[in-house]
Amino acid sequence: MSTVLEQIEQQIARLSTKAVKKNTGNIRTLADGVAKIDGLSAVMYNEMVQFPGGAIGIALNLEEDEVGCVILGDISKLKEGDEVQTTGRLLSVPVGKALLGRVVDALGNPVDGKGPIAAQETYPVERIAPGIIVRKSVSQPLFTGIMAIDSMIPIGRGQRELIIGDRGTGKTTIAIDTIINQAKINKVGLASGDKNFRPVYSIYVAVGQKNSNIVRTMAALEAAGAFEYTTIVAAPAADNPANQYLAPFSGAAMGEWFMENGMDALIVYDDLSKHAVAYRQISLILKRPSGREAYPGDVFYLHSRLLERSARLDGKGSLTALPLIETQAGDVSAYIPTNVISITDGQIFLETDLFNQGIRPAVSVGLSVSRVGSAAQIKATKQVGGKLKGELAQFRELAAFAQFGSDLDAKTKAQLDRGARIVELFKQPAFNPIPIEVQVAVLFAMQRGVFDSIEVKKIVPAAASLREFFTARKNPLLTEIRTKAALDKDIEAKLQAAVDEWKPTFNA
Amino acid sequence: MASGKKYVQQFARNLFTMSLANGALSDERVAGVLAYLEKHRPAQTMAILKAYHRLIAAELARGEAVVEHAGPIGESVLRDLAQSMTQKYGRPVTAVSRRNDELLAGLRVRVADDVYEYSIANQLATLAAAV
């Protein structure tokens, strides 16, 4: 017992010789999660400050005679006059693989009841985006598992592709599908023992969402076996706006760890409209001047500095971003949508009308684009789906005219028939991503006119049957397509033979 | 004209500037400022006075090292502290002592916003937070 006491005394003696300098201030006013503080003359912008009772704040407004801090945590025990201290640290969150399979809050604290997170490192929440020299052009594909996207609007590793649409049009579903597809690819790739295989880890940032939605997302990922490769950063609607404002930056820091350490990561910001609203709330409470739609003047910078952190780095890894934006009545020309459209490398626009017609995913071909283009597409997809976007866009134009019921020439009729079949072929149930090799096989069949003799309303079951046929019986061929990533004459012959073999089995 | 809060802050800051003589706070000038306020009663006098008070208090705190201590403390220690703080901050700093038994042992020196902790209470609190 005396030894223990001696140890403590020694530690006290060691510590007591050290002088600790602190910069302090006092709470002048406290309202709406924001404290105005007297003092703190040495505080840095964005520095963490320590409030009594363990609450943490961030210094966001450095004024001549006061400091405005947003408080992260419980403010119920704080009162006017309480002493506040600087910490000398910028806000940081834990990073690393220990976060995979976990749900954390905006500060990286676990909220899933699975115990503490054994993270070895922390990264600052705010970081300067990688510069020009360290970047590499986006050329490696990131497969979403959604045929309409992988074949027409390909996404590459390191790209920022916006998913935009009204509420209830399937934006989150596309993001979740993409995460699930990465997990499926990871499992196949890691099992293959290929040393060059680069798994993609996912981070899903939920901003301002209902807790029930976050639970549903988690359940979908768990059911698909994707949760072990995913981290969820949750700042639900019940959280204070400061946490909602921080969550995407925390998620970006977690993703950057993978990128900096030679790995690939995918980050989904669901969604940046609510993020902008949370930031507007903070800015108004901090009495910052407001501009259009009462957003502060730096709301563009808020999103540009966040999304610029996604990149493909030379000699390192990549961070791909899928930000989501909710539009009102399909208006893509509103303030926040136009901001984010101009920042990202393309957008997937989801239309309510298409969704209601049963075309799901409701991707609008005309308004969707990937500015990286075919650089992020494998050759096999280009070979079988290179002209699809044009054909589908033409079909939409022609379909609009065909509604008037005028007589159509044979060529137009053929285009309409083909277009209707492509639309049906791209229908895909939620949480059911299709591997790229299967997509290639199905598109090959479409290109060769295999579906032309099948009734339009039976295209969906026919495509499902063909996919099942390939998966169950032509696995070596699929593996060949996956590994070679291009169709040579030999593979084309095998594909044609397989399709010919399948055709009689499908009862049209 | 500046908005309410800005107007108050600007006015108070101007009064504060007028209260300085050769960069140091002058009792006579402060008295003059107070007399002016009493006579002219500008809009929001109460708020201006409060803001002015805050600025004067902060300025006074900049020149004073409050030395909190649990045990006895000698005059020579206070003198040494005042000297070292004067040197550190590059302005005259006087030391005043204040007894605080909650420190258990050691010292706490406060100069304006800066706090230098040499106390056992603070070390114990650090230890407790680390465990």
Side-chain angles (χ1 to χ4, degrees):
Chain A
M1 196 64 179
S2 61
T3 333
V4 181
L5 283 172
E6 277 168 22
Q7 277 178 351
I8 297 170
E9 280 162 10
Q10 277 171 8
Q11 185 147 6
I12 290 171
R14 250 195 335 267
L15 286 169
S16 63
T17 56
K18 284 183 196 167
V20 184
K21 186 189 173 188
K22 297 184 287 192
N23 190 251
T24 61
N26 296 91
I27 298 176
R28 188 196 292 178
T29 61
L30 184 66
D32 306 315
V34 168
K36 295 285 175 73
I37 298 162
D38 267 336
L40 293 184
S41 54
V43 73
M44 298 179 286
Y45 180 67
N46 260 337
E47 184 181 339
M48 279 163 73
V49 293
Q50 184 72 57
F51 285 86
I56 284 171
I58 310 172
L60 282 183
N61 264 21
L62 308 187
E63 293 171 32
E64 203 167 346
D65 52 5
E66 67 180 18
V67 175
C69 281
V70 290
I71 303 163
L72 311 163
D74 187 15
I75 59 163
S76 59
K77 287 173 191 151
L78 300 179
K79 59 184 186 304
E80 205 177 300
D82 276 351
E83 191 177 274
V84 185
Q85 292 174 17
T86 56
T87 61
R89 284 180 288 131
L90 296 176
L91 187 64
S92 301
V93 286
V95 293
K97 284 191 174 178
L99 286 149
L100 294 172
R102 302 300 301 267
V103 184
V104 295
D105 65 11
L107 300 176
N109 302 314
V111 290
D112 51 8
K114 291 180 185 171
I117 294 171
Q120 305 291 321
E121 281 180 75
T122 58
Y123 265 28
V125 163
E126 288 272 7
R127 286 181 101 200
I128 301 290
I132 301 162
I133 305 298
V134 294
R135 286 181 190 244
K136 209 173 169 191
S137 64
V138 175
S139 58
Q140 293 176 328
L142 184 126
F143 302 117
T144 61
I146 298 163
M147 273 178 71
I149 295 172
D150 288 340
S151 60
M152 295 189 294
I153 317 147
I155 299 171
R157 294 186 186 195
Q159 191 178 340
R160 293 89 42 92
E161 183 78 7
L162 169 66
I163 304 173
I164 184 167
D166 282 6
R167 68 181 295 272
T169 49
K171 301 182 294 296
T172 304
T173 308
I174 287 181
I176 302 297
D177 270 348
T178 309
I179 293 175
I180 291 173
N181 199 43
Q182 303 320 305
K184 283 187 172 176
I185 295 170
N186 289 353
K187 281 177 185 165
V188 173
L190 293 172
S192 72
D194 180 4
K195 283 180 185 167
N196 294 321
F197 177 74
R198 296 167 67 91
V200 177
Y201 300 98
S202 304
I203 296 135
Y204 178 81
V205 184
V207 182
Q209 290 191 34
K210 287 181 275 186
N211 274 321
S212 58
N213 280 356
I214 299 172
V215 170
R216 202 182 308 152
T217 301
M218 201 175 110
L221 292 173
E222 266 177 347
F227 197 49
E228 59 186 294
Y229 299 102
T230 311
T231 302
I232 295 181
V233 182
D239 234 343
N240 63 46
N243 282 336
Q244 291 181 40
Y245 151 68
L246 273 175
F249 292 95
S250 304
M254 290 165 194
E256 274 168 339
W257 182 85
F258 290 104
M259 179 171 71
E260 295 285 346
N261 288 283
M263 289 172 267
D264 293 324
L266 162 74
I267 185 160
V268 175
Y269 301 111
D270 191 359
D271 66 63
L272 290 189
S273 305
K274 291 192 186 80
H275 182 234
V277 168
Y279 188 59
R280 173 170 65 183
Q281 198 172 333
I282 291 170
S283 299
L284 291 174
I285 293 168
L286 283 169
K287 303 258 178 354
R288 289 179 176 178
S290 58
R292 185 175 159 186
E293 292 175 30
Y295 287 106
D298 64 343
V299 74
F300 184 92
Y301 177 55
L302 171 81
H303 287 152
S304 64
R305 74 172 191 264
L306 171 70
L307 293 167
E308 276 294 303
R309 288 164 71 174
S310 301
R312 184 178 171 213
L313 298 184
D314 197 7
K316 291 183 180 173
S318 70
L319 179 62
T320 311
L322 293 181
L324 272 66
I325 286 282
E326 187 182 301
T327 51
Q328 306 294 327
D331 181 16
V332 287
S333 64
Y335 188 28
I336 303 302
T338 46
N339 277 358
V340 183
I341 284 171
S342 70
I343 295 163
T344 49
D345 307 311
Q347 71 275 346
I348 296 164
F349 182 62
L350 304 176
E351 276 187 54
T352 313
D353 287 349
L354 291 177
F355 189 86
N356 292 340
Q357 285 165 28
I359 301 168
R360 296 170 197 179
V363 178
S364 164
V365 180
L367 289 175
S368 301
V369 68
S370 170
R371 286 179 202 134
V372 170
S374 56
Q377 215 169 21
I378 58 166
K379 199 179 170 193
T381 316
K382 274 186 242 178
Q383 283 172 298
V384 294
K387 292 174 186 166
L388 273 174
K389 198 166 186 243
E391 281 182 33
L392 206 54
Q394 271 183 352
F395 162 72
R396 292 264 154 83
E397 288 280 316
L398 290 171
F401 280 109
Q403 279 181 342
F404 297 112
S406 56
D407 284 339
L408 300 167
D409 60 280
K411 193 186 164 198
T412 311
K413 260 188 174 173
Q415 275 183 314
L416 281 171
D417 284 348
R418 192 171 179 75
R421 281 172 175 79
I422 296 172
V423 169
E424 290 298 308
L425 199 68
F426 281 156
K427 285 183 182 173
Q428 200 174 321
F431 309 137
N432 192 15
I434 303 169
I436 192 70
E437 58 273 18
V438 179
Q439 291 185 29
V440 169
V442 174
L443 291 174
F444 175 85
M446 162 58 75
Q447 198 193 37
R448 294 292 168 105
V450 174
F451 295 107
D452 289 354
S453 57
I454 298 171
E455 254 185 281
V456 173
K457 62 181 178 187
K458 288 192 176 167
I459 293 290
V460 174
S465 158
L466 183 62
R467 288 200 298 266
E468 206 180 301
F469 173 82
F470 269 103
T471 314
R473 294 174 59 181
K474 299 292 169 192
N475 209 26
L477 178 56
L478 293 178
T479 310
E480 204 177 343
I481 297 170
R482 189 173 61 238
T483 49
K484 285 188 177 170
L487 301 185
D488 54 23
K489 286 219 162 82
D490 179 41
I491 295 179
E492 281 187 5
K494 284 181 191 171
L495 273 172
Q496 186 62 54
V499 169
D500 291 340
E501 191 185 331
W502 164 76
K503 192 77 193 285
T505 64
F506 181 67
N507 187 14
Chain B
M1 193 176 151
S3 66
K5 195 184 165 195
K6 264 192 181 165
Y7 159 77
V8 168
Q9 278 173 345
Q10 265 176 16
F11 205 119
R13 224 171 278 136
N14 288 342
L15 293 178
F16 174 73
T17 313
M18 284 192 285
S19 308
L20 301 175
N22 299 323
L25 214 54
S26 154
D27 291 352
E28 287 150 31
R29 290 202 175 197
V30 172
V33 163
L34 292 175
Y36 168 83
L37 286 174
E38 183 68 35
K39 190 177 173 190
H40 294 280
R41 293 259 171 184
Q44 303 191 54
T45 306
M46 177 66 101
I48 291 167
L49 264 173
K50 278 185 179 172
Y52 178 62
H53 176 264
R54 205 161 42 233
L55 291 169
I56 296 289
E59 182 60 24
L60 287 173
R62 276 161 49 86
E64 191 178 75
V66 179
V67 183
E68 292 177 54
H69 54 93
I73 187 167
E75 276 300 314
S76 62
V77 176
L78 284 179
R79 243 192 337 266
D80 287 351
L81 271 170
Q83 202 178 346
S84 64
M85 291 297 166
T86 302
Q87 206 171 356
K88 185 175 172 61
Y89 286 98
R91 59 175 185 253
V93 178
T94 56
V96 287
S97 75
R98 193 173 293 163
R99 194 175 173 85
N100 182 355
D101 290 333
E102 286 177 6
L103 298 181
L104 301 178
L107 294 175
R108 179 187 290 158
V109 183
R110 180 187 289 272
V111 183
D113 301 342
D114 292 336
V115 177
Y116 300 87
E117 282 275 6
Y118 302 84
S119 71
I120 290 291
N122 180 60
Q123 303 304 342
L124 287 175
T126 313
L127 261 180
V131 173

